[in-house]
Coordinates of all heavy atoms in Angstrom, one line a residue:
M2 N 0.8 -1.2 0.0 CA 0.0 0.0 0.0 C 0.8 1.3 0.0 O 0.7 2.1 -0.9 CB -0.9 -0.1 1.3 CG -1.7 1.2 1.6 SD -2.9 1.5 0.3 CE -3.5 3.2 0.7
L3 N 1.9 1.3 0.9 CA 2.8 2.4 1.0 C 3.6 2.6 -0.3 O 3.7 3.7 -0.9 CB 3.6 2.3 2.3 CG 4.5 3.6 2.5 CD1 3.6 4.8 2.9 CD2 5.5 3.3 3.7
K4 N 3.9 1.5 -0.8 CA 4.7 1.5 -2.0 C 3.9 2.1 -3.1 O 4.5 2.9 -4.0 CB 5.2 0.0 -2.3 CG 6.3 -0.1 -3.3 CD 6.9 -1.4 -3.4 CE 7.9 -1.6 -4.4 NZ 8.6 -0.9 -5.1
R5 N 2.7 1.8 -3.2 CA 1.8 2.2 -4.1 C 1.6 3.9 -4.2 O 1.8 4.5 -5.2 CB 0.3 1.8 -4.0 CG 0.1 0.6 -5.0 CD -1.4 0.4 -4.9 NE -1.8 -0.6 -5.8 CZ -3.0 -1.1 -5.6 NH1 -4.0 -0.7 -4.5 NH2 -3.6 -2.0 -6.4
V6 N 1.7 4.3 -3.0 CA 1.5 5.8 -2.7 C 2.8 6.5 -3.2 O 2.7 7.6 -3.8 CB 1.2 6.1 -1.2 CG1 1.3 7.7 -1.0 CG2 -0.2 5.6 -0.8
V7 N 3.9 5.8 -2.8 CA 5.1 6.5 -3.2 C 5.3 6.3 -4.7 O 5.7 7.4 -5.3 CB 6.3 5.6 -2.5 CG1 7.7 6.0 -3.2 CG2 6.3 5.8 -1.0
N8 N 4.9 5.3 -5.3 CA 4.9 5.2 -6.7 C 4.1 6.3 -7.4 O 4.4 7.0 -8.4 CB 4.4 3.9 -7.3 CG 5.5 2.7 -7.1 OD1 6.7 3.2 -7.0 ND2 5.2 1.6 -7.2
A9 N 2.9 6.5 -6.8 CA 2.0 7.6 -7.3 C 2.7 9.0 -7.2 O 2.6 9.8 -8.1 CB 0.6 7.7 -6.6
L10 N 3.3 9.3 -6.0 CA 4.0 10.5 -5.8 C 5.1 10.6 -6.8 O 5.3 11.8 -7.3 CB 4.4 10.5 -4.3 CG 3.4 10.9 -3.4 CD1 4.0 10.8 -1.9 CD2 2.8 12.2 -3.6
E11 N 5.9 9.5 -7.0 CA 6.9 9.7 -7.9 C 6.5 10.1 -9.3 O 7.0 10.8 -10.0 CB 7.7 8.2 -8.0 CG 8.7 8.1 -6.7 CD 9.3 6.7 -6.8 OE1 8.8 5.8 -7.5 OE2 10.4 6.5 -6.0
L12 N 5.3 9.3 -9.7 CA 4.7 9.7 -11.1 C 4.3 11.2 -11.2 O 4.6 11.7 -12.2 CB 3.5 8.7 -11.1 CG 2.9 8.8 -12.7 CD1 3.9 8.2 -13.6 CD2 1.6 7.9 -12.7
V13 N 3.7 11.6 -10.0 CA 3.3 13.0 -10.1 C 4.5 14.0 -10.1 O 4.5 14.9 -11.0 CB 2.3 13.3 -8.8 CG1 2.2 14.9 -8.7 CG2 1.1 12.7 -8.9
A14 N 5.5 13.6 -9.4 CA 6.7 14.5 -9.5 C 7.4 14.4 -10.8 O 7.9 15.4 -11.2 CB 7.7 14.0 -8.3
L15 N 7.4 13.2 -11.3 CA 8.0 13.0 -12.6 C 7.3 13.8 -13.6 O 8.0 14.5 -14.6 CB 8.0 11.6 -13.0 CG 9.0 11.2 -14.2 CD1 10.3 11.3 -13.8 CD2 8.7 9.8 -14.6
L16 N 6.0 13.8 -13.7 CA 5.1 14.5 -14.6 C 5.3 16.0 -14.4 O 5.4 16.8 -15.4 CB 3.6 14.2 -14.4 CG 3.2 13.0 -15.1 CD1 1.7 12.7 -14.8 CD2 3.3 13.2 -16.5
A17 N 5.3 16.5 -13.1 CA 5.6 17.9 -12.8 C 7.0 18.3 -13.4 O 7.0 19.4 -14.0 CB 5.5 18.1 -11.4
A18 N 7.9 17.5 -13.2 CA 9.2 17.9 -13.6 C 9.3 17.9 -15.2 O 9.8 18.9 -15.8 CB 10.3 16.9 -13.2
A19 N 8.7 17.0 -15.8 CA 8.6 16.9 -17.3 C 7.8 18.2 -17.8 O 8.3 18.8 -18.7 CB 7.9 15.6 -17.8
T20 N 6.7 18.5 -17.2 CA 6.0 19.7 -17.6 C 6.9 21.0 -17.3 O 6.8 21.8 -18.3 CB 4.7 19.8 -16.6 OG1 4.1 18.6 -16.8 CG2 3.8 21.0 -17.2
F21 N 7.6 21.0 -16.3 CA 8.4 22.2 -16.0 C 9.4 22.3 -17.2 O 9.7 23.5 -17.7 CB 9.1 22.0 -14.8 CG 10.0 23.1 -14.3 CD1 9.4 24.4 -14.1 CD2 11.3 23.0 -14.4 CE1 10.4 25.4 -13.8 CE2 12.2 24.0 -13.9 CZ 11.7 25.1 -13.7
V22 N 10.1 21.2 -17.6 CA 11.1 21.3 -18.6 C 10.5 21.8 -19.9 O 11.0 22.5 -20.6 CB 11.8 19.9 -18.7 CG1 12.7 20.0 -19.8 CG2 12.6 19.6 -17.4
V23 N 9.3 21.2 -20.2 CA 8.7 21.6 -21.5 C 8.3 23.0 -21.5 O 8.5 23.6 -22.5 CB 7.3 20.6 -21.6 CG1 6.5 21.3 -22.8 CG2 7.7 19.2 -21.9
L24 N 7.8 23.5 -20.4 CA 7.4 24.9 -20.3 C 8.7 25.8 -20.4 O 8.6 26.9 -21.0 CB 6.8 25.1 -18.9 CG 5.2 24.7 -18.8 CD1 4.7 25.0 -17.5 CD2 4.5 25.3 -19.9
L25 N 9.8 25.3 -19.9 CA 11.1 26.0 -20.0 C 11.4 26.2 -21.5 O 11.8 27.4 -21.9 CB 12.2 25.4 -19.3 CG 12.4 25.5 -17.9 CD1 13.7 24.9 -17.4 CD2 12.6 27.0 -17.7
F26 N 11.2 25.3 -22.3 CA 11.5 25.3 -23.7 C 10.5 26.3 -24.4 O 10.8 26.9 -25.4 CB 11.6 23.9 -24.3 CG 13.0 23.3 -24.1 CD1 13.1 22.3 -23.1 CD2 14.1 23.6 -24.8 CE1 14.3 21.6 -22.8 CE2 15.3 23.0 -24.5 CZ 15.4 22.1 -23.5
A27 N 9.2 26.0 -24.0 CA 8.1 26.8 -24.6 C 8.2 28.3 -24.2 O 7.6 29.1 -25.1 CB 6.8 26.2 -24.3
Y28 N 8.7 28.5 -23.1 CA 8.7 30.0 -22.7 C 9.4 30.9 -23.6 O 10.5 30.7 -24.0 CB 9.3 30.1 -21.2 CG 9.4 31.4 -20.6 CD1 8.2 32.2 -20.4 CD2 10.6 32.0 -20.4 CE1 8.3 33.5 -19.8 CE2 10.7 33.3 -19.9 CZ 9.4 33.9 -19.6 OH 9.5 35.3 -19.0
R29 N 8.7 31.9 -23.9 CA 9.3 33.0 -24.9 C 9.0 34.3 -24.0 O 8.0 34.7 -24.0 CB 8.6 33.1 -26.2 CG 8.9 31.9 -27.0 CD 10.3 32.0 -27.8 NE 10.5 30.7 -28.5 CZ 11.1 29.7 -28.0 NH1 11.5 29.7 -26.7 NH2 11.4 28.6 -28.7
P30 N 10.1 34.9 -23.6 CA 9.8 36.2 -23.0 C 9.3 37.3 -23.8 O 9.8 37.4 -24.9 CB 11.2 36.6 -22.3 CG 12.2 35.7 -22.9 CD 11.5 34.6 -23.7
T31 N 8.1 37.9 -23.3 CA 7.6 38.9 -24.2 C 8.5 40.1 -24.1 O 9.1 40.5 -23.0 CB 6.1 39.4 -23.7 OG1 6.2 39.6 -22.3 CG2 5.3 38.1 -23.9
A32 N 8.4 41.0 -25.1 CA 9.3 42.1 -25.2 C 8.7 43.1 -24.1 O 7.6 43.3 -23.9 CB 9.1 42.9 -26.5
K33 N 9.7 43.7 -23.4 CA 9.1 44.7 -22.3 C 8.9 46.0 -23.0 O 9.5 46.4 -24.0 CB 10.5 45.0 -21.4 CG 10.7 43.8 -20.5 CD 11.8 44.1 -19.5 CE 12.0 42.8 -18.7 NZ 13.3 42.8 -18.2
P34 N 7.8 46.7 -22.6 CA 7.5 48.0 -23.0 C 8.7 48.9 -22.8 O 9.4 48.8 -21.8 CB 6.3 48.4 -22.2 CG 6.1 47.6 -21.0 CD 7.0 46.2 -21.4
A35 N 8.8 49.9 -23.7 CA 9.9 50.8 -23.6 C 9.9 51.6 -22.3 O 8.9 51.9 -21.7 CB 9.8 51.9 -24.7
A36 N 11.0 51.7 -21.6 CA 11.1 52.4 -20.5 C 10.7 53.8 -20.6 O 10.9 54.5 -21.6 CB 12.6 52.4 -19.8
P37 N 10.0 54.4 -19.5 CA 9.5 55.9 -19.7 C 10.6 56.8 -20.0 O 10.4 57.7 -20.8 CB 8.9 56.1 -18.3 CG 8.6 54.7 -17.7 CD 9.6 53.8 -18.3
A38 N 11.7 56.5 -19.4 CA 12.9 57.5 -19.7 C 13.1 57.5 -21.2 O 13.5 58.5 -21.8 CB 14.0 57.1 -18.9
A39 N 13.1 56.3 -21.8 CA 13.5 56.2 -23.3 C 12.4 57.0 -24.1 O 12.8 57.6 -25.0 CB 13.5 54.7 -23.7
A40 N 11.2 56.8 -23.6 CA 10.0 57.4 -24.4 C 10.1 58.9 -24.2 O 10.0 59.7 -25.1 CB 8.7 57.0 -23.8
A41 N 10.5 59.4 -23.0 CA 10.7 60.8 -22.8 C 11.8 61.5 -23.6 O 11.8 62.6 -23.9 CB 10.9 61.1 -21.3
A42 N 12.8 60.6 -24.0 CA 13.9 61.2 -24.7 C 13.7 61.3 -26.1 O 14.2 62.0 -26.9 CB 15.1 60.2 -24.5
N43 N 12.5 60.7 -26.6 CA 12.1 60.9 -28.0 C 11.3 62.1 -28.2 O 10.3 62.2 -27.6 CB 11.2 59.7 -28.4 CG 10.8 59.8 -29.9 OD1 10.8 60.7 -30.5 ND2 10.4 58.5 -30.4
P44 N 11.7 63.2 -28.8 CA 11.1 64.4 -28.9 C 9.7 64.4 -29.6 O 8.8 65.2 -29.2 CB 12.0 65.3 -29.8 CG 13.2 64.4 -30.2 CD 13.1 63.1 -29.6
L45 N 9.5 63.3 -30.5 CA 8.2 63.2 -31.0 C 7.1 62.8 -29.9 O 6.0 63.2 -30.0 CB 8.1 62.2 -32.2 CG 8.7 62.7 -33.4 CD1 8.8 61.5 -34.5 CD2 8.1 63.9 -34.0
V46 N 7.5 61.9 -29.0 CA 6.7 61.4 -28.0 C 6.4 62.6 -27.0 O 5.3 62.8 -26.6 CB 7.4 60.3 -27.1 CG1 6.6 59.8 -26.0 CG2 7.5 59.0 -28.2
V47 N 7.5 63.4 -26.7 CA 7.3 64.4 -25.8 C 6.5 65.5 -26.4 O 5.5 66.0 -25.7 CB 8.6 65.1 -25.4 CG1 8.4 66.4 -24.6 CG2 9.6 64.1 -24.7
G48 N 6.5 65.8 -27.7 CA 5.7 66.8 -28.4 C 4.3 66.3 -28.3 O 3.4 67.1 -28.1
E49 N 4.0 65.0 -28.6 CA 2.7 64.6 -28.5 C 2.1 64.8 -27.2 O 0.9 65.2 -27.1 CB 2.8 63.0 -28.9 CG 1.4 62.5 -29.1 CD 1.6 61.0 -29.5 OE1 2.6 60.4 -29.2 OE2 0.5 60.4 -30.1
Q50 N 2.9 64.4 -26.2 CA 2.3 64.6 -24.8 C 2.1 66.1 -24.5 O 1.0 66.5 -23.9 CB 3.3 64.1 -23.8 CG 3.3 62.5 -23.8 CD 4.6 62.0 -23.1 OE1 5.5 62.7 -22.6 NE2 4.5 60.7 -22.8
V51 N 2.9 67.0 -24.9 CA 2.7 68.4 -24.8 C 1.6 68.9 -25.4 O 0.7 69.7 -25.0 CB 3.9 69.1 -25.2 CG1 3.7 70.7 -25.2 CG2 5.2 69.0 -24.2
F52 N 1.3 68.4 -26.7 CA 0.2 68.8 -27.5 C -1.1 68.4 -26.9 O -2.1 69.1 -26.8 CB 0.4 68.4 -28.9 CG -0.7 68.8 -29.9 CD1 -0.6 70.0 -30.6 CD2 -1.9 68.2 -30.1 CE1 -1.6 70.6 -31.3 CE2 -2.9 68.8 -30.7 CZ -2.8 70.0 -31.5
A53 N -1.2 67.1 -26.5 CA -2.4 66.5 -25.9 C -2.8 67.4 -24.7 O -4.0 67.6 -24.4 CB -2.1 65.0 -25.6
A54 N -1.8 67.7 -23.9 CA -2.1 68.4 -22.5 C -2.4 69.9 -22.7 O -3.1 70.3 -22.0 CB -0.9 68.1 -21.6
N55 N -1.7 70.6 -23.6 CA -1.9 72.0 -23.8 C -2.5 72.6 -24.9 O -2.9 73.7 -25.1 CB -0.4 72.6 -23.7 CG 0.3 72.2 -22.5 OD1 0.0 72.7 -21.4 ND2 1.2 71.2 -22.6
C56 N -2.7 71.8 -26.1 CA -3.2 72.5 -27.3 C -4.4 71.7 -27.9 O -5.1 72.3 -28.6 CB -2.1 72.3 -28.4 SG -0.4 72.5 -27.7
S57 N -4.6 70.5 -27.5 CA -5.7 69.7 -28.2 C -7.1 70.3 -27.9 O -8.0 69.9 -28.7 CB -5.5 68.2 -27.9 OG -5.7 68.1 -26.4
T58 N -7.2 70.8 -26.7 CA -8.7 71.4 -26.3 C -9.1 72.3 -27.4 O -10.2 72.5 -27.8 CB -8.6 72.0 -25.0 OG1 -7.6 72.9 -24.9 CG2 -8.7 71.0 -23.8
C59 N -8.2 73.1 -27.9 CA -8.6 74.3 -28.8 C -8.2 73.8 -30.3 O -9.0 74.2 -31.2 CB -7.8 75.5 -28.6 SG -8.3 76.3 -27.1
H60 N -7.2 72.9 -30.6 CA -6.8 72.5 -31.9 C -7.3 71.2 -32.3 O -7.0 70.7 -33.5 CB -5.4 72.8 -32.2 CG -4.9 74.2 -32.0 ND1 -5.2 75.1 -33.1 CD2 -4.4 74.8 -31.1 CE1 -4.7 76.4 -32.8 NE2 -4.2 76.2 -31.6
G61 N -8.0 70.5 -31.4 CA -8.5 69.1 -31.7 C -7.3 68.1 -31.4 O -6.1 68.5 -31.4
A62 N -7.7 66.8 -31.0 CA -6.8 65.9 -30.6 C -5.8 65.6 -31.7 O -4.7 65.1 -31.5 CB -7.6 64.6 -30.1
H63 N -6.1 65.7 -33.0 CA -5.3 65.4 -34.1 C -4.9 66.7 -34.8 O -4.5 66.6 -36.0 CB -5.8 64.3 -34.9 CG -6.3 63.1 -34.2 ND1 -5.3 62.2 -33.8 CD2 -7.4 62.6 -33.7 CE1 -5.8 61.2 -33.1 NE2 -7.2 61.4 -33.1
G64 N -5.2 67.8 -34.3 CA -4.8 69.2 -34.9 C -5.8 69.4 -36.0 O -5.6 70.3 -37.0
E65 N -7.0 68.8 -36.0 CA -8.0 69.0 -36.9 C -8.7 70.3 -36.9 O -9.6 70.8 -37.8 CB -8.9 67.9 -37.0 CG -10.0 67.8 -35.8 CD -9.4 67.1 -34.5 OE1 -8.1 66.9 -34.6 OE2 -10.0 66.6 -33.7
G66 N -8.6 71.1 -35.7 CA -9.1 72.4 -35.6 C -10.3 72.2 -34.8 O -11.1 71.2 -34.9
A67 N -10.5 73.3 -34.0 CA -11.8 73.4 -33.1 C -12.0 74.9 -32.9 O -12.3 75.5 -33.9 CB -11.8 72.6 -31.9
V68 N -11.9 75.4 -31.7 CA -11.9 76.8 -31.4 C -10.7 77.4 -32.1 O -10.8 78.5 -32.8 CB -11.7 77.0 -29.9 CG1 -11.7 78.5 -29.7 CG2 -13.0 76.5 -29.2
G69 N -9.5 76.8 -32.1 CA -8.3 77.2 -32.8 C -8.3 76.7 -34.2 O -9.0 75.6 -34.4
P70 N -7.5 77.3 -35.0 CA -7.5 76.9 -36.5 C -6.9 75.5 -36.5 O -6.2 75.0 -35.8 CB -6.7 77.8 -37.2 CG -5.8 78.6 -36.0 CD -6.6 78.5 -34.8
R71 N -7.2 74.8 -37.7 CA -6.6 73.6 -38.1 C -5.1 73.6 -38.1 O -4.6 74.6 -38.8 CB -7.2 73.1 -39.4 CG -6.6 71.9 -40.0 CD -7.1 71.6 -41.3 NE -6.6 70.4 -41.9 CZ -7.2 69.2 -41.8 NH1 -8.4 69.1 -41.1 NH2 -6.7 68.1 -42.3
L72 N -4.3 72.8 -37.6 CA -2.9 72.7 -37.6 C -2.4 71.6 -38.5 O -1.3 71.6 -39.0 CB -2.3 72.5 -36.3 CG -2.8 73.7 -35.2 CD1 -2.1 73.4 -34.0 CD2 -2.3 75.1 -35.6
S73 N -3.2 70.5 -38.6 CA -2.7 69.3 -39.3 C -3.0 69.4 -40.8 O -3.4 70.4 -41.3 CB -3.4 68.1 -38.7 OG -4.7 68.2 -39.0
G74 N -2.6 68.5 -41.5 CA -2.6 68.3 -42.9 C -1.9 69.2 -43.7 O -2.2 69.7 -44.8
G75 N -0.8 69.8 -43.0 CA 0.0 70.7 -43.7 C -0.4 72.1 -43.6 O 0.3 73.0 -44.2
A76 N -1.5 72.4 -42.8 CA -1.9 73.7 -42.8 C -0.9 74.7 -42.1 O -0.7 75.8 -42.7 CB -3.2 73.7 -41.8
V77 N -0.2 74.3 -41.2 CA 0.8 75.2 -40.5 C 2.0 75.2 -41.5 O 2.6 76.3 -41.6 CB 1.1 74.8 -39.2 CG1 2.4 75.4 -38.7 CG2 0.0 74.9 -38.2
V78 N 2.4 74.2 -42.0 CA 3.6 74.1 -42.9 C 3.4 75.0 -44.1 O 4.3 75.7 -44.5 CB 3.9 72.6 -43.3 CG1 5.2 72.6 -44.2 CG2 4.3 71.8 -42.1
R79 N 2.2 75.0 -44.7 CA 1.9 75.9 -45.8 C 2.0 77.3 -45.4 O 2.6 78.2 -46.1 CB 0.6 75.7 -46.4 CG 0.6 74.4 -47.5 CD -0.8 74.3 -48.2 NE -1.8 74.1 -47.4 CZ -2.2 72.9 -47.0 NH1 -1.5 71.8 -47.3 NH2 -3.2 72.7 -46.2
R80 N 1.5 77.7 -44.3 CA 1.3 78.9 -43.9 C 2.7 79.5 -43.4 O 3.0 80.7 -43.6 CB 0.3 79.1 -42.7 CG 0.0 80.6 -42.2 CD -1.2 80.6 -41.4 NE -2.0 81.6 -42.0 CZ -3.1 82.0 -41.5 NH1 -3.4 81.7 -40.2 NH2 -3.9 82.8 -42.1
Y81 N 3.4 78.6 -42.7 CA 4.7 79.0 -42.2 C 5.9 78.0 -42.7 O 6.2 77.1 -41.9 CB 4.7 79.0 -40.6 CG 3.6 79.9 -40.1 CD1 2.5 79.2 -39.6 CD2 3.7 81.3 -40.0 CE1 1.4 80.0 -39.0 CE2 2.8 81.9 -39.4 CZ 1.4 81.4 -38.9 OH 0.6 82.0 -38.4
P82 N 6.4 78.1 -43.9 CA 7.2 77.1 -44.4 C 8.6 77.1 -43.7 O 9.2 76.1 -43.6 CB 7.5 77.7 -45.8 CG 6.5 78.7 -46.2 CD 5.9 79.3 -44.8
N83 N 8.9 78.2 -43.1 CA 10.2 78.1 -42.3 C 10.0 77.7 -40.9 O 9.1 78.4 -40.2 CB 10.7 79.7 -42.3 CG 12.0 79.8 -41.6 OD1 12.4 78.8 -40.9 ND2 12.7 81.0 -41.8
P84 N 10.6 76.6 -40.4 CA 10.4 76.0 -39.1 C 10.6 77.1 -38.0 O 9.8 77.1 -37.0 CB 11.3 75.0 -38.9 CG 11.5 74.5 -40.5 CD 11.4 75.8 -41.3
A85 N 11.5 78.1 -38.3 CA 11.7 79.1 -37.2 C 10.5 80.0 -37.0 O 10.2 80.4 -35.9 CB 12.9 79.9 -37.7
D86 N 9.7 80.2 -38.1 CA 8.5 81.0 -37.9 C 7.4 80.2 -37.2 O 6.5 80.7 -36.4 CB 7.8 81.4 -39.4 CG 8.8 82.3 -40.0 OD1 9.5 83.1 -39.3 OD2 8.7 82.4 -41.3
Q87 N 7.4 78.7 -37.4 CA 6.4 77.9 -36.7 C 6.7 78.1 -35.2 O 5.8 78.2 -34.4 CB 6.5 76.5 -37.2 CG 6.3 76.3 -38.6 CD 6.6 74.9 -39.1 OE1 6.6 73.9 -38.1 NE2 6.7 74.8 -40.3
I88 N 8.0 78.0 -34.9 CA 8.3 78.1 -33.4 C 8.0 79.4 -32.8 O 7.5 79.6 -31.8 CB 9.9 77.7 -33.2 CG1 10.1 76.3 -33.7 CG2 10.3 78.0 -31.9 CD1 11.6 76.0 -33.8
A89 N 8.3 80.5 -33.6 CA 8.0 81.9 -33.2 C 6.5 82.0 -33.0 O 6.0 82.7 -32.0 CB 8.4 82.9 -34.2
V90 N 5.5 81.4 -33.8 CA 4.2 81.6 -33.7 C 3.7 81.1 -32.4 O 3.0 81.5 -31.6 CB 3.4 80.9 -34.8 CG1 1.9 80.8 -34.5 CG2 3.6 81.8 -36.0
V91 N 4.3 79.8 -32.1 CA 3.8 79.1 -30.8 C 4.4 79.8 -29.7 O 3.7 79.9 -28.6 CB 4.3 77.5 -30.9 CG1 4.1 76.9 -29.5 CG2 3.6 76.8 -32.0
E92 N 5.6 80.4 -29.7 CA 6.3 81.0 -28.6 C 5.7 82.4 -28.4 O 5.5 82.7 -27.2 CB 7.8 81.1 -28.9 CG 8.6 81.2 -27.6 CD 10.2 80.9 -27.9 OE1 10.5 80.7 -28.9 OE2 10.7 81.1 -26.7
Y93 N 5.5 83.1 -29.4 CA 5.1 84.6 -29.3 C 3.7 84.8 -29.9 O 3.4 86.1 -29.8 CB 6.1 85.5 -29.9 CG 7.5 85.3 -29.5 CD1 8.5 84.7 -30.3 CD2 7.9 85.4 -28.1 CE1 9.7 84.5 -30.1 CE2 9.2 85.3 -27.8 CZ 10.2 84.7 -28.7 OH 11.4 84.6 -28.3
T94 N 3.0 84.0 -30.3 CA 1.6 84.3 -31.0 C 1.9 84.8 -32.5 O 3.0 85.2 -32.8 CB 0.7 85.2 -30.3 OG1 1.0 86.5 -30.4 CG2 0.6 84.6 -28.8
R95 N 0.8 84.8 -33.2 CA 1.0 85.3 -34.6 C 1.4 86.7 -34.6 O 2.0 87.2 -35.6 CB -0.3 85.1 -35.3 CG -0.5 83.6 -35.7 CD -1.5 83.5 -36.8 NE -2.7 84.1 -36.7 CZ -3.8 83.8 -37.4 NH1 -3.7 82.8 -38.2 NH2 -4.9 84.4 -37.2
T96 N 0.9 87.6 -33.7 CA 1.1 88.9 -33.6 C 2.6 89.3 -33.0 O 2.8 90.5 -32.9 CB -0.1 89.7 -33.0 OG1 -0.3 89.2 -31.7 CG2 -1.2 89.5 -33.8
G97 N 3.1 88.4 -32.6 CA 4.5 88.6 -31.8 C 4.3 89.3 -30.5 O 5.2 89.8 -29.9
L98 N 3.1 88.9 -29.9 CA 2.9 89.5 -28.6 C 3.9 88.7 -27.6 O 4.4 87.7 -27.9 CB 1.5 89.2 -28.0 CG 0.4 90.0 -28.6 CD1 -0.9 89.4 -28.2 CD2 0.5 91.4 -28.4
N99 N 4.3 89.4 -26.6 CA 5.3 88.9 -25.7 C 6.6 88.7 -26.0 O 7.4 88.1 -25.5 CB 4.7 87.4 -25.2 CG 3.3 87.4 -24.7 OD1 2.9 88.4 -24.1 ND2 2.6 86.5 -24.8
R100 N 6.9 89.0 -27.4 CA 8.3 88.9 -27.9 C 9.1 89.9 -27.2 O 8.8 91.1 -27.0 CB 8.3 89.1 -29.4 CG 9.7 88.8 -30.0 CD 9.7 89.2 -31.5 NE 8.9 88.3 -32.3 CZ 9.3 87.4 -33.0 NH1 10.7 87.1 -32.9 NH2 8.6 86.6 -33.8
G101 N 10.2 89.4 -26.7 CA 11.0 90.6 -26.1 C 12.1 90.3 -25.3 O 12.8 91.1 -24.8
Ligands
HEC204 C1 -7.4 78.5 -25.6 C2 -7.4 77.9 -27.0 C3 -6.0 77.5 -27.5 C4 -5.0 76.8 -27.1 C5 -5.0 76.0 -25.7 C6 -3.9 76.7 -27.9 N1 -4.3 77.5 -29.1 FE1 -3.2 77.8 -30.8 N2 -4.6 79.0 -31.4 C7 -5.7 79.3 -31.0 C8 -6.6 80.2 -31.6 C9 -7.9 81.0 -31.4 C10 -5.6 80.6 -32.8 C11 -5.8 81.7 -33.9 C12 -5.4 83.0 -33.4 C13 -5.6 83.9 -34.4 O1 -6.4 83.9 -35.4 O2 -4.8 85.0 -34.3 C14 -4.5 79.7 -32.6 C15 -3.4 79.8 -33.4 C16 -2.3 78.8 -33.4 C17 -1.3 78.8 -34.5 C18 -1.3 79.6 -35.8 C19 -2.1 78.8 -36.8 C20 -2.2 79.6 -38.1 O3 -2.7 79.1 -39.1 O4 -1.8 80.8 -38.1 C21 -0.5 77.7 -34.1 C22 0.7 77.3 -34.8 C23 -1.0 77.3 -32.9 N3 -2.2 78.0 -32.4 C24 -0.4 76.3 -32.1 C25 -0.7 76.0 -30.8 C26 0.0 75.0 -29.9 C27 1.2 74.3 -30.4 C28 -0.7 75.0 -28.8 C29 -0.3 74.4 -27.5 C30 1.1 74.6 -27.0 C31 -1.8 75.9 -28.9 N4 -1.8 76.5 -30.1 C32 -2.8 76.2 -27.9 C33 -6.3 78.7 -29.8 C34 -5.5 78.0 -28.8

């Protein structure tokens, strides 16, 4: 009787060990999401966050326009082909207020 129980336990242990080994081979670690620091270092990601937090209420989540004029679809690039002018508009407004 005792020998039967031991045999059953051995069988369970053997199956568990075999399962463990199979799972070890089957295990594929999933790619970790990018670290927040790496995302913050990407200016496009930072810009997207700044826009979502500060501009989207008036210019739309995708720059499609709302209270403020449309910015996407090349609207700003056509109006201000020089990137320095785009920066100046955002920094000082179109009329150059606060420039100084
Ligand atoms: C409170 C609403 C509001 C917020 C917030 C806002 N804007 Fe504007 N924005 C406007 C309005 C209104 C105009 C049009 C001003 C005018 O006609 O003189 C404008 C104009 C602009 C223009 C010039 C567009 C053009 O065709 O001349 C740019 C570029 C711009 N905003 C970018 C931004 C950015 C970038 C942010 C966030 C950092 C932002 N705006 C936040 C309302 C807003």
Side-chain angles (χ1 to χ4, degrees):
M2 170 68 188
L3 187 63
K4 193 166 171 26
R5 262 190 172 167
V6 171
V7 170
N8 280 346
L10 283 176
E11 281 176 345
L12 188 65
V13 168
L15 193 68
L16 275 175
T20 306
F21 180 68
V22 172
V23 168
L24 288 177
L25 271 184
F26 281 103
Y28 176 64
R29 294 275 174 275
T31 50
K33 287 185 184 152
N43 182 341
L45 288 178
V46 174
V47 174
E49 187 178 22
Q50 291 166 349
V51 168
F52 187 88
N55 300 286
C56 323
S57 62
T58 45
C59 294
H60 291 284
H63 305 284
E65 69 273 19
V68 176
R71 175 186 180 90
L72 304 176
S73 63
V77 170
V78 178
R79 272 192 299 277
R80 184 166 242 196
Y81 309 98
N83 183 347
D86 293 336
Q87 296 171 23
I88 293 168
V90 165
V91 172
E92 202 167 359
Y93 304 114
T94 77
R95 287 204 303 199
T96 54
L98 294 174
N99 306 325
R100 190 188 286 262

